[in-house]
């Protein structure tokens, strides 16, 4: 959703503030947006200079080329994902007030904007846009008139706003200052040498610095070229947590691939390997990151609830099979947006596991808070350092997938599954459900997975050929059983979100309870076949399912383990994956489905990295 950049530096006015803002907005494009804008301030200039355009960033760049803005010392930049008012030039951010002396950008939704807008209208304030942000701009303007201080003005307004917001403001009279406030919406500080940055995530400034500060809930950062002061909404100075970003700008670039999604699919062996790194202490025992939770509490839990959305929820679904098998603790999967609305049974002996690539998904964050209010402890599995969900959790396992730019999640998914395996093994160790050597055997099997994922990638050309051949397909079904079931759901989601094709995933056993009615001659159906070396009854039941749909004319596209010749008589096409333990197989079986979706979308000429209507980071409920 909205992307935010703030910069202050150049002692003398230059093009750097604008360059940093545009570069940062380019890196935030992946969040999804429909318009973009910038505002600049410089000493001795009476008003803010700004430009904004609906559509892609290129429209703003063209506008700036046609009508260049003067040199500056500070900047703010914004990519907007429309909530209040259509995606138009006028509704794009920044929004100006005080006759153009103040500029404000905003991410989130101001829920009490309607009453605030009426209050301002009654005072004679004129609005030019339909946005909730313009309300904030006029309120900050009024407070600035009273206090003459941008931070104080921001604080006064932050206390009045309801909903979610990250707000950044600049004022023409303070050309060495950018002020940012956050409430339930992301904002991080980047630390430079004689310059400082603000961003909705570190991608906004990663080309300039890897040193960063996490801002807590309800905090305000005031950045000047040589200082960063963080205060809470009551004005008390707080010490933010410093962190160093463990990836650099090149990790967030396409690196020769035709799309970020293609690169991120190819990055998966590394992402899994990195997620497995450094997980044991000197005695070889598994450890958690940032554990603020007593081991005795974890030993006493009698139920786990995984809360997550979309792809992360499917990773949670895979986790259920592994954690229940290894630890004998019941695991429920709950879509985070449903969790707090159904009066869930949660106690001090419930552990909630929140899974999120971004660490900012509002639905998941709200589920975390609800769980904590009910007395549960929360462990999060998150990819983005400095984000809100890990900061509010009682313990964290960071996935080390690196930046995921494409809206369709791929490497974050396999990293989430890997981290969930580590969590399951950690519990098994803590609660004594498995012997040490059994845990070490599984860890060894896990360490072999990156190489096996690479083998699946190396076999990808046949999947791509089939995808190109199926470019006109209007519907694809996916069947799986056991850990193959969430993979069927994820395969269908990938196809829906980037290729805009009707796709459904089913548990194969459910077929005869309804979905088999959809099968007609030529209907393509992917089937994920469990290993014949596992529970044989499961394997043979899926083979029967393939026969049932084949008999009704389905075109069967089968994902099966090397050497499983039982599938070949019933498969129109087989995509082979290396042998591995059944519980770990999702790390392999998802890969052909990701490649298939990406290639089919590419063959249709679609933008796979920024699919329509979707945002990478869903920061509103
Ligand atoms: C995945 O391809 C999606 N775009 C989406 O379902 C995503 O996984 C979901 O919104 C959760 O995001 P998170 O992991 O950042 O919380």
């Amino acid at each position: 959703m909205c992307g935010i950049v703030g910069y202050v530096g150049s002692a003398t006015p230059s093009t750097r503030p604008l360059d940093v803002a545009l570069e940062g907005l380019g890196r935030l494009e992946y969040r999804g947006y429909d318009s973009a804008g910038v505002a600049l301030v410089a000493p001795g200039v009476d008003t803010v200079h700004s430009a904004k355009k609906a559509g892609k960033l290129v429209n703003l760049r063209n506008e700036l080329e046609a009508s260049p803005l003067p040199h500056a010392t500070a900047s703010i930049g914004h990519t907007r994902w429309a909530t209040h008012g259509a995606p138009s030039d006028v509704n794009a951010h920044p929004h100006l007030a005080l006759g153009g002396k103040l500029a404000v950008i905003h991410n989130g939704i101001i829920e009490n904007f309607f009453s605030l807008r009426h209050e301002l209208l009654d005072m004679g304030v004129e609005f030019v846009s339909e946005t909730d942000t313009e309300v904030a701009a006029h309120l900050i303007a009024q407070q600035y008139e009273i206090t003459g201080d941008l931070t104080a003005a921001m604080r006064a307004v932050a206390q009045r706003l309801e909903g979610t917001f990250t707000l950044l403001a600049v004022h023409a009279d303070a050309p060495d200052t950018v002020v940012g406030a956050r409430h339930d919406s992301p904002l991080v500080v980047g630390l430079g040498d004689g310059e400082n940055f603000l961003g909705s995530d570190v991608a906004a400034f990663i080309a300039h610095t890897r040193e960063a500060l996490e801002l807590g809930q309800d905090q305000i950062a005031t950045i000047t070229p040589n200082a960063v002061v963080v205060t809470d909404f009551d004005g008390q100075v707080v010490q933010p947590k410093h962190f160093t970003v463990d990836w650099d700008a090149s990790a967030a670039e396409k690196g020769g691939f035709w799309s970020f999604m293609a690169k991120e699919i190819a990055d998966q062996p590394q992402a899994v390997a990195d997620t497995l790194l450094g997980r044991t202490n000197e005695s070889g025992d598994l450890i958690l990151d940032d554990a603020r939770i007593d081991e005795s509490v974890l030993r006493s839990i009698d139920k786990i609830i995984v809360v997550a959305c979309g792809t992360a929820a499917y990773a949670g679904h895979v986790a259920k099979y592994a954690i229940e098998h290894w630890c004998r603790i019941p695991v429920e999967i709950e879509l985070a947006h449903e969790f707090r609305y159904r009066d869930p049974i949660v106690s001090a002996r419930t552990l909630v596991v929140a899974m999120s690539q971004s660490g900012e998904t509002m639905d998941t964050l709200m589920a975390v808070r609800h769980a904590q209010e009910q007395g549960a402890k929360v462990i999060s599995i998150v990819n983005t350092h400095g984000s809100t969900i890990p900061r509010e959790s009682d313990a964290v396992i960071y996935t080390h997938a690196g930046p995921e730019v494409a809206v369709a999640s791929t490497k974050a998914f396999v990293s989430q599954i890997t981290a969930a395996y580590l969590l399951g093994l950690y519990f098994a160790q803590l609660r004594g459900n498995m012997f040490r050597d059994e845990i070490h055997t599984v860890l060894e099997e896990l360490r072999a997975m990156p190489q096996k994922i690479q083998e699946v990638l190396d076999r990808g050309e046949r999947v791509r050929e089939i995808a190109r051949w199926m470019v006109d397909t209007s519907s694809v079904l996916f069947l799986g059983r056991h850990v193959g079931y969430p993979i069927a759901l994820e395969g269908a989601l990938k196809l829906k979100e980037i290729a805009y094709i009707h796709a459904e995933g089913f548990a194969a056993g459910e077929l005869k309870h309804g979905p088999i009615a959809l099968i007609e001659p030529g209907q393509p159906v992917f089937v994920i076949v469990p290993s014949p070396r596992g529970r044989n009854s499961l394997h043979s039941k899926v083979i029967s399912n393939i026969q049932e749909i084949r008999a009704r004319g389905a075109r069967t596209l089968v994902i099966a383990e090397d050497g499983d010749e039982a599938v070949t008589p019933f498969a129109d096409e087989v995509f082979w994956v290396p042998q591995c333990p059944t519980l770990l197989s999702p790390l392999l079986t998802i890969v052909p489905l990701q490649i298939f979706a990406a290639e089919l979308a590419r063959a249709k000429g679609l933008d796979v990295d920024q699919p329509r209507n979707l945002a990478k980071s869903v920061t509103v409920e």
Side-chain angles (χ1 to χ4, degrees):
M1 301 208 151
C2 306
I4 278 182
V5 192
Y7 170 82
V8 61
S10 333
T12 46
S14 72
T15 59
R16 183 154 172 83
L18 179 60
D19 295 344
V20 170
L22 290 175
E23 207 265 346
L25 292 182
R27 289 186 190 276
L28 295 175
E29 274 192 296
Y30 76 93
R31 295 172 71 91
Y33 71 104
D34 43 47
S35 55
V38 287
L40 305 175
V41 283
V45 182
D46 273 356
T47 57
V48 164
H49 289 282
S50 68
K52 50 190 194 173
K53 283 309 269 181
K56 293 290 178 194
L57 202 49
V58 65
N59 297 357
L60 176 66
R61 287 184 186 276
N62 291 342
E63 167 80 6
L64 289 166
E65 238 167 68
S67 315
L69 296 181
H71 290 182
T73 47
S75 62
I76 54 176
H78 189 264
T79 45
R80 173 176 186 247
W81 192 82
T83 55
H84 296 70
S88 60
D89 288 357
V90 77
N91 287 331
H93 302 203
H95 290 282
L96 305 183
L98 291 176
K101 285 179 96 60
L102 177 88
V104 171
I105 57 177
H106 165 224
N107 176 20
I109 294 178
I110 298 169
E111 283 172 359
N112 56 339
F113 104 103
F114 194 70
S115 59
L116 293 171
R117 186 178 166 108
H118 275 276
E119 184 183 309
L120 290 163
L121 284 169
D122 289 347
M123 291 176 189
V125 172
E126 286 178 15
F127 284 85
V128 293
S129 77
E130 301 156 83
T131 65
D132 49 347
T133 308
E134 198 183 350
V135 167
H138 288 299
L139 289 173
I140 295 171
Q142 286 184 341
Q143 288 299 321
Y144 188 86
E145 293 285 81
I146 298 167
T147 62
D149 178 86
L150 198 52
T151 306
M154 181 69 88
R155 184 177 308 124
V157 173
Q159 287 168 345
R160 291 200 66 195
L161 301 181
E162 291 166 19
T164 60
F165 55 86
T166 299
L167 286 165
L168 256 58
V170 287
H171 192 290
D173 294 348
D176 62 348
T177 305
V178 180
V179 177
R182 64 162 301 231
H183 170 75
D184 281 347
S185 179
L187 183 63
V188 279
V189 178
L191 301 172
D193 185 10
E195 55 183 6
N196 286 305
F197 308 82
L198 290 165
S200 13
D201 64 58
V202 295
F205 48 72
I206 192 67
H208 312 288
T209 181
R210 289 166 64 185
E211 302 309 314
L213 299 176
E214 271 185 31
L215 288 189
Q217 172 73 328
D218 294 349
Q219 291 185 351
I220 294 179
T222 304
I223 62 166
T224 52
N226 295 304
V228 174
V229 178
V230 180
T231 48
D232 62 21
F233 282 3
D234 294 324
Q236 302 299 315
V237 174
V238 291
Q239 283 310 318
K241 192 172 161 199
H242 179 272
F243 66 102
T244 303
V245 183
D246 60 3
W247 48 274
D248 62 15
S250 65
E253 281 158 12
K254 284 186 199 167
F257 285 85
W258 61 273
S259 63
F260 279 109
M261 186 177 176
K263 173 179 181 273
E264 287 159 9
I265 291 172
D267 279 348
Q268 291 182 114
Q270 195 61 49
V272 170
D274 288 349
T275 299
L276 289 169
L277 277 180
R279 295 299 179 183
T280 47
N281 61 17
E282 316 75 58
S283 338
D285 290 333
L286 285 159
I287 45 172
L288 299 176
D289 302 326
D290 276 359
R292 300 172 287 266
I293 185 169
D294 203 278
E295 285 191 353
S296 62
V297 175
L298 291 177
R299 268 192 212 100
S300 72
I301 59 158
D302 60 8
K303 178 169 76 170
I304 293 176
I305 305 178
V306 180
V307 293
C309 303
T311 290
Y314 298 145
H317 203 149
V318 173
K320 172 184 168 73
Y321 291 90
I323 297 175
E324 287 189 341
H325 180 74
W326 290 330
C327 313
R328 313 310 299 154
I329 308 172
V331 180
E332 292 174 15
I333 307 299
E334 184 85 40
L335 290 169
H337 35 89
E338 290 293 312
F339 180 68
R340 70 187 174 124
Y341 297 106
R342 70 156 177 97
D343 197 12
I345 300 168
V346 175
S347 75
R349 297 186 66 193
T350 308
L351 178 76
V352 166
V353 175
M355 296 176 80
S356 174
Q357 187 288 129
S358 61
E360 297 293 352
T361 299
M362 187 53 67
D363 292 315
T364 309
L365 177 61
M366 289 304 170
V368 165
R369 290 185 182 161
H370 184 71
Q372 287 173 328
E373 279 160 22
Q374 307 293 308
K377 294 290 181 200
V378 175
I379 294 184
S380 56
I381 293 178
V382 170
N383 194 39
T384 310
H385 283 250
S387 57
T388 309
I389 291 172
R391 216 183 30 250
E392 297 199 11
S393 304
D394 300 293
V396 186
I397 297 184
Y398 283 109
T399 51
H400 297 296
E404 190 178 66
V405 175
V407 166
S409 189
T410 53
K411 65 175 179 174
F413 178 65
V414 292
S415 296
Q416 283 162 343
I417 293 174
T418 305
Y421 292 146
L422 290 170
L423 183 64
L425 295 173
Y426 171 80
F427 277 127
Q429 163 190 289
L430 193 71
R431 299 159 62 95
N433 301 99
M434 285 166 86
F435 292 114
R436 247 170 151 237
D437 58 334
E438 287 179 298
I439 293 175
H440 289 172
T441 303
V442 181
L443 282 173
E444 279 316 305
E445 287 164 342
L446 265 172
R447 290 188 187 110
M449 294 308 286
Q451 178 54 36
K452 294 181 183 194
I453 299 173
Q454 188 58 52
E455 282 177 48
V456 184
L457 291 169
D458 294 344
R459 300 172 189 183
E461 190 43 38
R462 182 63 185 152
V463 186
R464 282 188 282 273
E465 265 172 35
I466 299 285
R468 290 193 289 271
W469 183 78
M470 286 172 63
V471 67
D472 295 322
T473 303
S474 57
S475 156
V476 182
L477 303 181
F478 296 76
L479 299 179
R481 239 181 148 119
H482 189 256
V483 286
Y485 171 39
I487 296 307
L489 297 174
E490 171 63 3
L493 178 62
K494 286 286 90 78
L495 203 56
K496 280 181 235 194
E497 64 180 338
I498 60 168
Y500 316 148
I501 288 177
H502 172 255
E504 290 297 331
F506 299 107
E510 193 63 11
L511 205 57
K512 53 192 164 303
H513 300 286
I516 200 164
L518 290 170
I519 306 295
E520 56 187 16
Q523 169 68 50
V525 185
F526 274 93
V527 187
I528 300 132
V529 180
S531 167
R533 298 170 305 110
R535 260 180 280 164
N536 193 36
S537 57
L538 195 63
H539 176 262
S540 52
K541 290 223 162 52
V542 176
I543 301 287
S544 305
N545 293 143
I546 303 176
Q547 287 173 270
E548 284 156 17
I549 54 171
R550 192 99 185 293
R552 288 162 178 83
R555 185 176 151 69
T556 53
L557 305 156
V558 172
I559 298 175
E561 186 178 271
D562 283 344
D564 182 6
E565 292 305 332
V567 301
T568 42
F570 314 111
D572 289 295
E573 193 65 43
V574 186
F575 304 115
W576 300 104
V577 297
Q579 295 185 353
C580 74
T582 301
L583 282 172
L584 309 190
S585 63
L587 296 178
L588 304 183
T589 52
I590 189 56
V591 177
L593 302 182
Q594 296 166 335
I595 296 173
F596 176 78
E599 189 66 17
L600 203 149
R602 183 189 195 187
K604 288 179 81 171
L606 299 171
D607 180 347
V608 300
D609 290 333
Q610 291 175 43
R612 68 184 179 202
N613 305 336
L614 292 174
K616 180 67 180 164
S617 188
V618 185
T619 50
V620 293
E621 270 189 281

